[in-house]
């Protein structure tokens, strides 16, 4: 008899043996001698929307004193479509002040994170989240995560359809295990009765994270090309929804020095009628469940499955599972992937205010904007709701004409629109240090300073009001989607970044590596020269990213790409 060797990744065994995501979490929470949980539970707790972290600023000092790391948890909420009522906002604000580090962190995927929640406060924080009728189920882990939708549903039927679809997909693909309620809310254990099961996921869930978004052209604010699965609204001449183009295989993450990992923009695969969208979502996810690589987590995302098996084969499998074929995708066009700032008025006479929140960090800045308190005060009087955007911003939405002046007064009182220059309005940075365990460089704490220097350079070339997208991450995982920004800065080491150029303003084209391992002086000098070239040479309406390609600064060969190493030499990188 031949013995088969189980080559699956260790995490597959952890999932399988976890009793549908329970592991030893309940016991681990009772162990007061440590602020951490076991390594295996550390993998499982992600499915419950949490990460074990430690304060990396404190590591050296605590190591010297032979103390355990300063452990705490990051909690990520599931808020499909990013809609939060004023009442929910007030609870979320209370939690930030009571159990977390005094901030709410709006993420690049239309939800909130808390940082710094210590183990003994986890259950209390989770109960408070539940009391706001929110949850953290499947916010992280190898499952379909928070589903994003184009914002401002009040502006058209298509936006409402996008929001409804995001909710339906998020709820429909939610894990069925009762573990979340049982562990965090001391819910009833499933004893007797129907055996608990995961009919869609099975006991090993997905090979890797799975991300879904819903977009409404002409805005690509959800960055549809960066996600595993996307729906793009196709509208008729009257602006009514006729169906959805389905995109598959987007993803940003890569690892420095490992060319078999790479960012990838999604393919537009097929067109489906509105009634079929939820079924298509489930079919795409379950093909990835069955075809995705379970031996190597670095090759497990849908983008690699599609490159391995081919888009045609993938589509054929989706169609075969649904028992029908679909039309080919319909034409559509995006104009940008950012947010519309300031006040806008909907067709229904309701008003919407998009606020720029630097890196999504909602706290009170001493001597500066007081985001946390200002937005709390707005929540106290708001007759609409809040909408989080995929660009880490907040929309005070659906405000009546009568209420608008009071909100404007609060915005002024708490300085909530100060500092929103053109570059900053088009910027994003990931969390990175001190909480992210994977950061190799600063991001959220550093990008504002770098932008101050770049703004001086832009102003000197008459470009201060130009919209240029800039995104920074503290490592190559790509959490702020830097590879589809016109200026992408990706952490390489302390104080060092790779500079990527040549992406499209609407997020549809990847950038290419331009400068390797550069420090601030070099980044500013190189960009200053490029800004000068752009100001002098651009054609009417030409975007910075498009110009960088046309002017030959970004080699766009398919067989390889050139970049400048840290000595300034031009080198060739294998594709
Ligand atoms: Fe992310 C891991 C933060 C959006 C790609 N991401 C992490 C972790 C959890 C670090 C870890 O695994 O220990 C970071 C927690 C930092 C902290 O202290 O809070 C983290 N990711 C974030 C957020 C908060 C960035 C932000 O500043 O807003 C975003 C939360 C989104 C959400 O609400 O769900 C966030 N992460 C993204 C995105 C952007 C997107 O999805 O639109 C990406 C790129 C798209 C993609 O998935 O390909 C992204 N994060 C990753 C990866 C690389 C995945 C890959 O396939 O290679 C990792 C690492 C991993 O999974 O192994 C990661
Ligand atoms: Fe952390 Fe890297 Fe994501 Fe930034 S990009 S939050 S450093 S994992």
């Amino acid at each position: 008899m031949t013995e088969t060797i189980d080559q699956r990744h260790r995490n597959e065994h952890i999932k399988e043996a976890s009793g549908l995501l329970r592991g030893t979490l309940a016991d681990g929470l009772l162990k007061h001698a440590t602020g951490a949980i076991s390594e295996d539970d550390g993998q499982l707790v992600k499915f419950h929307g949490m990460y074990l972290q430690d304060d990396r600023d404190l590591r050296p000092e605590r190591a010297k004193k032979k103390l355990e790391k300063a452990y705490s948890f990051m909690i990520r909420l599931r808020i499909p479509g990013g809609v939060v009522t004023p009442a929910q906002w007030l609870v979320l604000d209370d939690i930030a002040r009571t159990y977390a580090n005094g901030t709410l962190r709006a993420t690049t995927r239309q939800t909130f994170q808390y940082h710094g929640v210590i183990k003994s406060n986890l259950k209390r924080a989770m109960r408070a989240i539940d009391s706001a009728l929110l949850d953290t189920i499947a916010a992280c882990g190898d499952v379909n995560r928070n589903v994003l939708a184009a914002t401002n549903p009040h502006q058209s039927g298509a936006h409402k359809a996008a929001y409804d679809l995001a909710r339906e997909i998020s709820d429909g693909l939610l894990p069925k295990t009762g573990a979340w309620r049982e562990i965090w809310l001391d819910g009833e254990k499933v004893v007797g009765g129907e055996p608990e099961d995961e009919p869609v996921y099975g006991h090993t869930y997905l090979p890797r994270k799975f991300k879904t978004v819903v977009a409404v052209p002409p805005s690509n604010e959800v960055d549809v090309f960066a996600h595993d699965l996307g729906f793009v609204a196709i509208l008729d001449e009257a602006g009514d929804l006729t169906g959805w183009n389905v995109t598959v295989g987007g993803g940003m993450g890569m690892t420095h020095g490992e060319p078999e990992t790479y960012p990838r923009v999604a393919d537009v695969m097929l067109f489906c009628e509105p009634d079929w969208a939820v079924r298509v979502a489930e079919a795409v996810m379950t093909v990835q469940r069955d075809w995705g690589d379970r031996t190597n987590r670095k090759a497990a995302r849908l983008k690699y499955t599609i490159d391995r098996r081919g888009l045609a084969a993938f589509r054929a499998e989706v169609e075969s599972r649904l028992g029908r074929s679909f039309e080919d995708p319909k034409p559509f066009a995006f104009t940008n992937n950012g947010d519309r700032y300031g006040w806008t008025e909907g067709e229904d006479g309701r008003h919407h205010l998009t606020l720029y929140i630097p890196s999504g960090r909602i706290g009170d800045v001493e001597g500066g904007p007081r985001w946390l308190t200002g937005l709390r005060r707005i929540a106290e009087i708001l007759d609409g709701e809040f909408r989080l955007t995929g660009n880490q911003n907040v929309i005070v939405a659906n405000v009546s004409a009568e209420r608008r002046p009071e909100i404007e007064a609060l915005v002024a009182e708490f300085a909530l629109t100060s500092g929103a220059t053109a570059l900053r309005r088009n910027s994003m940075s990931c969390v990175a240090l001190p909480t992210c365990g994977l950061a190799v460089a600063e991001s959220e704490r550093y990008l504002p300073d770098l932008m101050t220097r770049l703004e001086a350079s832009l102003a000197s070339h008459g470009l201060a009001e130009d919209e240029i997208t800039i995104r920074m991450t503290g490592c190559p995982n790509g959490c702020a989607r830097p590879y589809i920004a016109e200026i992408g800065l990706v952490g390489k080491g302390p104080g060092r970044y790779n500079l990527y150029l040549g992406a499209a303003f609407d997020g549809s084209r990847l950038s290419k590596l331009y400068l390797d391992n550069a420090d601030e002086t070099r980044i500013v000098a190189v960009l200053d020269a490029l800004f000068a070239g752009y100001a002098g040479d651009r054609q009417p309406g030409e975007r910075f990213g498009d110009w960088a390609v046309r002017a030959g600064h970004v080699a766009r060969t398919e067989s390889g790409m050139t970049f400048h190493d840290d000595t300034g030499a031009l080198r060739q990188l294998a594709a």
Side-chain angles (χ1 to χ4, degrees):
M1 216 170 71
T2 51
E3 204 180 314
T4 51
I5 300 168
D6 188 348
Q7 290 182 325
R8 288 176 305 160
H9 189 275
R10 185 173 167 268
N11 283 32
E12 296 299 313
H13 300 275
I14 297 174
K15 287 183 270 183
E16 196 167 49
S18 71
L20 298 180
L21 306 178
R22 287 172 177 81
T24 57
L25 273 167
D27 289 342
L29 290 175
L30 299 173
K31 291 193 175 133
H32 302 301
T34 170
I37 51 176
S38 76
E39 217 180 304
D40 286 5
D41 286 346
Q43 293 303 322
L44 297 173
V45 82
K46 296 179 188 179
F47 292 76
H48 299 250
M50 274 162 261
Y51 273 75
L52 174 64
Q53 303 184 317
D54 73 288
D55 186 330
R56 295 183 55 186
D57 287 349
L58 301 180
R59 268 189 202 175
E61 189 194 323
R62 297 192 57 102
K64 215 168 13 172
K65 292 184 180 156
K66 297 198 165 48
L67 289 171
E68 179 177 86
K69 286 178 182 166
Y71 288 117
S72 65
F73 288 78
M74 176 268 271
I75 300 180
R76 187 181 288 165
L77 284 107
R78 180 180 71 100
I79 311 181
V83 178
V84 176
T85 65
Q88 287 174 325
W89 188 284
L90 293 173
V91 178
L92 295 179
D93 172 290
D94 286 340
I95 297 169
R97 294 169 196 265
T98 316
Y99 302 122
N101 66 354
T103 69
L104 270 165
R105 176 57 158 69
T107 74
T108 53
R109 300 199 75 250
Q110 242 176 17
T111 187
F112 281 128
Q113 282 186 185
Y114 292 112
H115 291 103
V117 182
I118 55 170
K119 189 163 104 176
S120 55
N121 275 336
L122 272 180
K123 275 188 162 185
R124 280 187 272 265
M126 297 295 270
R127 262 185 239 127
I129 289 168
D130 179 62
S131 76
L133 303 180
L134 289 166
D135 64 63
T136 66
I137 303 171
C140 321
D142 299 341
V143 278
N144 180 57
R145 297 189 172 192
N146 195 44
V147 182
L148 280 69
T151 47
N152 268 338
H154 304 286
Q155 287 189 316
S156 76
H159 282 91
K160 183 174 178 325
Y163 176 66
D164 291 345
L165 179 59
R167 282 214 72 98
E168 272 179 72
I169 294 175
S170 181
D171 293 346
L173 299 182
L174 211 56
K176 298 279 181 279
T177 171
W180 188 86
R181 197 148 282 280
E182 185 185 304
I183 295 170
W184 307 107
L185 308 180
D186 296 327
E188 293 275 305
K189 285 200 175 123
V190 182
V191 184
E194 289 296 305
E196 202 189 12
D197 206 2
E198 287 288 9
V200 176
Y201 286 107
H203 288 226
T204 48
Y205 295 85
L206 300 181
R208 201 68 162 87
K209 56 176 72 166
F210 188 85
K211 297 179 173 181
T212 306
V213 300
V214 185
V216 180
S219 170
N220 185 22
E221 62 192 298
V222 296
D223 262 335
V224 72
F225 298 108
H227 298 269
D228 298 273
L229 170 63
F231 291 85
V232 181
I234 301 300
L235 312 176
D236 62 19
E237 277 174 10
D240 294 326
L241 182 79
T242 60
W244 306 96
N245 276 356
V246 178
T247 62
V248 291
M252 295 281 101
M254 57 166 267
T255 307
H256 289 310
E258 294 184 18
E260 64 281 11
T261 66
Y262 46 84
R264 183 184 194 278
V265 287
D267 294 304
V268 190
M269 182 170 73
L270 54 79
F271 170 84
C272 75
E273 305 79 16
D275 286 358
W276 279 84
V278 174
R279 278 174 281 181
V280 170
E282 183 173 324
V284 168
M285 192 187 84
T286 51
V287 177
Q288 160 64 1
R289 176 197 65 197
D290 302 338
W291 285 14
D293 189 330
R294 289 188 186 257
T295 63
N296 174 7
R297 287 179 70 79
K298 285 196 176 179
R301 291 292 291 273
L302 177 60
K303 60 181 175 181
Y304 301 119
T305 308
I306 288 184
D307 279 348
R308 230 176 14 250
R309 308 284 287 249
L311 182 66
F314 190 84
R315 174 176 172 171
E317 181 66 16
V318 168
E319 292 183 328
S320 136
R321 289 187 187 197
L322 290 171
R324 58 162 289 191
S325 58
F326 290 91
E327 288 177 54
D328 282 341
K330 311 273 186 211
F332 65 98
F334 288 126
T335 53
N336 64 78
N337 63 354
D339 291 337
R340 288 168 316 166
Y341 290 93
W343 285 99
T344 50
E345 197 181 331
E347 288 159 6
D348 54 2
R350 307 292 284 188
H351 298 244
H352 314 283
L353 169 66
T354 306
L355 291 168
Y356 158 65
I357 316 272
S359 302
R361 182 67 69 179
I362 299 173
D364 283 346
V365 181
E366 233 185 281
R370 291 169 60 207
W371 298 106
L372 193 67
T373 307
L375 285 164
R376 184 183 177 92
R377 292 280 299 281
I378 290 175
E380 283 164 358
I381 61 158
L382 180 61
D383 55 356
E385 72 274 330
F386 294 95
R387 293 186 179 273
L388 307 180
T389 79
N391 286 299
Q392 303 173 322
N393 293 315
V394 171
I395 303 176
V396 183
N398 203 13
V399 180
S400 65
E402 302 76 57
R403 207 29 72 83
R404 179 170 161 168
E406 287 171 69
I407 297 200
E408 281 174 344
L410 288 171
V411 167
E413 181 183 343
F414 291 94
L416 303 189
T417 49
S418 67
T421 62
L423 190 66
R424 282 168 214 256
R425 289 197 307 270
N426 290 286
S427 69
M428 284 210 286
S429 55
C430 73
V431 178
L433 295 164
T435 51
C436 179
L438 306 177
V440 295
E442 294 281 355
S443 183
E444 180 184 321
R445 297 195 293 196
Y446 169 57
L447 184 62
D449 293 342
L450 180 67
M451 285 197 293
T452 302
R453 293 196 61 185
L454 295 178
E455 278 160 356
S457 162
L458 285 164
S460 74
H461 301 297
L463 299 173
E465 299 304 321
D466 280 67
E467 310 260 348
I468 298 174
T469 53
I470 177 168
R471 296 174 178 179
M472 175 179 274
T473 56
C475 87
N477 281 319
C479 297
R481 304 187 288 269
Y483 311 106
I484 44 176
E486 291 174 292
I487 301 173
L489 290 150
V490 174
K492 190 79 190 284
R496 299 249 163 193
Y497 298 85
N498 281 359
L499 171 64
Y500 288 78
L501 294 177
F505 189 72
D506 67 357
S508 60
R509 182 178 70 225
L510 283 176
S511 55
K512 298 256 174 177
L513 182 63
Y514 182 76
L515 202 60
D516 179 58
N517 199 30
D519 63 9
E520 178 176 300
T521 309
R522 190 149 163 69
I523 292 166
V524 173
V526 164
L527 283 174
D528 184 64
L530 289 165
F531 293 154
Y534 175 52
D537 178 44
R538 66 174 158 172
Q539 292 168 352
E542 191 175 30
R543 295 287 181 182
F544 181 66
D546 297 338
W547 169 82
V549 176
R550 183 178 61 80
H553 293 290
V554 184
R556 300 218 61 84
T557 60
E558 288 312 311
S559 58
M561 55 190 176
T562 54
F563 69 99
H564 298 263
D565 68 15
D566 49 2
T567 68
L570 197 64
R571 298 210 345 231
Q572 184 81 18
L573 192 81

